């Protein structure tokens, strides 16, 4: 038996090292620590090759920004990072310009339909909150029902109080942004109405 470094084990499996690290973190493949380095048994790697060889790896990349306008560079940056770490066929890139709390996002809907029909077997995002602000666990379960899985390039490292605080800040930020947008729209309508009244007064 040989203990393989992360990069070598990932190469044998035909996956990106990030993917193998995620498998190890989730307990999908045993890992041995040598100091601060992960090592993988060659026997476990061969067994994983057999178990993962049943289904072709077809990646669907999901990128999202909250604003409905602009932020094109942020979408491109997410896509570029995901493409750079891809190890197989990228079926399609699914994009959304919408709040992560919305359930009716067009890009997310197309992604889930692709998972349901089997054309996507791996969903990849840069960060978990790009997929959804809350309820990611339910989405993971839904993906697993269709034999697909979620891979997060930069998984959360927070825990306990810090993670709860981050969720709270995200929630407040999201609702504050939506409220600001509503007020801005109301102000624009009011100014237009006042402008119309001024024009009518001038015409008189």
């Amino acid at each position: 038996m040989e203990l393989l470094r992360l990069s070598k084990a990932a190469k044998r499996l035909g996956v990106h090292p990030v993917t193998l690290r995620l498998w190890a973190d989730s307990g999908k493949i045993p890992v041995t620590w040598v100091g601060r380095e992960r090592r993988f048994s060659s026997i476990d790697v061969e067994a994983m090759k057999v178990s993962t060889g049943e289904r072709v790896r077809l990646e669907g990349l999901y990128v999202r920004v909250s604003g409905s306008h602009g932020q094109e560079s942020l979408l491109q940056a997410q896509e570029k990072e995901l493409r750079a770490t891809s190890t197989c066929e990228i079926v399609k890139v699914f994009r959304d310009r919408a709040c992560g709390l919305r359930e009716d996002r067009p890009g997310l809907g197309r992604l889930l339909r692709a998972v349901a029909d089997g054309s996507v077997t791996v969903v990849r995002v840069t960060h978990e909150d790009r997929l959804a602000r809350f309820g990611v666990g339910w989405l993971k379960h839904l993906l697993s029902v269709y034999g697909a899985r979620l891979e997060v390039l930069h998984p959360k490292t927070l825990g306990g109080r810090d993670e709860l605080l981050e969720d709270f800040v995200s929630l407040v930020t999201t609702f504050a942004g939506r409220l600001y947008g509503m007020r801005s729209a109301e102000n624009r309508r009011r100014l237009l109405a006042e402008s119309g009244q001024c024009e009518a007064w001038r015409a008189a």
Side-chain angles (χ1 to χ4, degrees):
M1 181 188 75
E2 182 184 1
L3 284 179
L4 307 174
R5 292 178 181 273
L6 177 69
S7 58
K8 190 172 182 179
K11 188 174 182 179
R12 284 197 186 184
L13 287 167
V15 299
H16 193 273
V18 172
T19 300
L20 181 55
R21 191 181 299 117
L22 291 171
W23 288 354
D25 290 342
S26 64
K28 191 172 181 179
I29 183 172
V31 61
T32 300
W33 288 93
V34 178
R36 294 186 177 182
E37 287 191 13
R38 301 171 192 254
R39 299 291 173 87
F40 299 86
S41 161
S42 56
I43 296 174
D44 292 329
V45 169
E46 290 304 315
M48 178 63 77
K49 283 174 70 175
V50 173
S51 64
T52 57
E54 297 175 357
R55 197 172 191 200
V56 178
R57 180 183 172 91
L58 303 170
E59 293 185 2
L61 310 184
Y62 182 76
V63 297
R64 181 186 66 80
V65 292
S66 297
S68 57
H69 302 288
Q71 298 184 307
E72 186 65 31
S73 60
L74 294 179
L75 282 174
Q76 292 174 352
Q78 290 177 49
E79 180 178 342
K80 182 179 179 181
E81 188 173 15
L82 290 171
R83 284 187 179 278
T85 55
S86 176
T87 59
C88 64
E89 179 186 356
I90 296 174
V91 177
K92 190 172 182 181
V93 179
F94 301 86
R95 302 175 180 84
D96 269 319
R97 295 174 177 274
C99 171
L101 293 173
R102 283 185 54 184
E103 298 176 348
D104 59 343
R105 284 171 272 154
L108 180 60
R110 289 191 294 272
L111 171 61
L112 294 179
R113 286 193 292 274
V115 168
D117 67 24
S119 57
V120 167
T121 60
V122 178
V123 175
R124 299 186 65 238
V125 294
T126 55
H127 297 81
E128 193 174 273
D129 64 1
R130 293 302 87 197
L131 186 64
R133 283 292 186 181
F134 301 99
V136 173
W138 291 107
L139 286 171
K140 286 181 181 177
H141 177 69
L142 178 60
L143 296 179
S144 68
V145 169
Y146 292 105
R149 65 178 181 274
L150 172 67
E151 290 184 2
V152 182
L153 194 58
H154 304 294
K156 283 185 177 182
T157 57
L158 298 176
R161 183 182 299 175
D162 290 336
E163 188 168 348
L164 182 62
L165 180 60
E166 184 186 66
D167 287 344
F168 176 73
V169 171
S170 296
L171 187 62
V172 171
T173 301
T174 298
F175 277 99
R178 293 179 67 179
L179 181 61
Y180 176 78
M182 290 169 63
R183 286 179 174 173
S184 296
E186 289 172 358
N187 287 335
R188 284 196 297 272
R189 285 194 295 268
R190 178 177 55 80
L191 289 172
L192 286 172
E194 290 177 355
S195 176
Q197 290 175 0
C198 289
E199 291 298 329
W201 178 77
R202 287 175 182 174

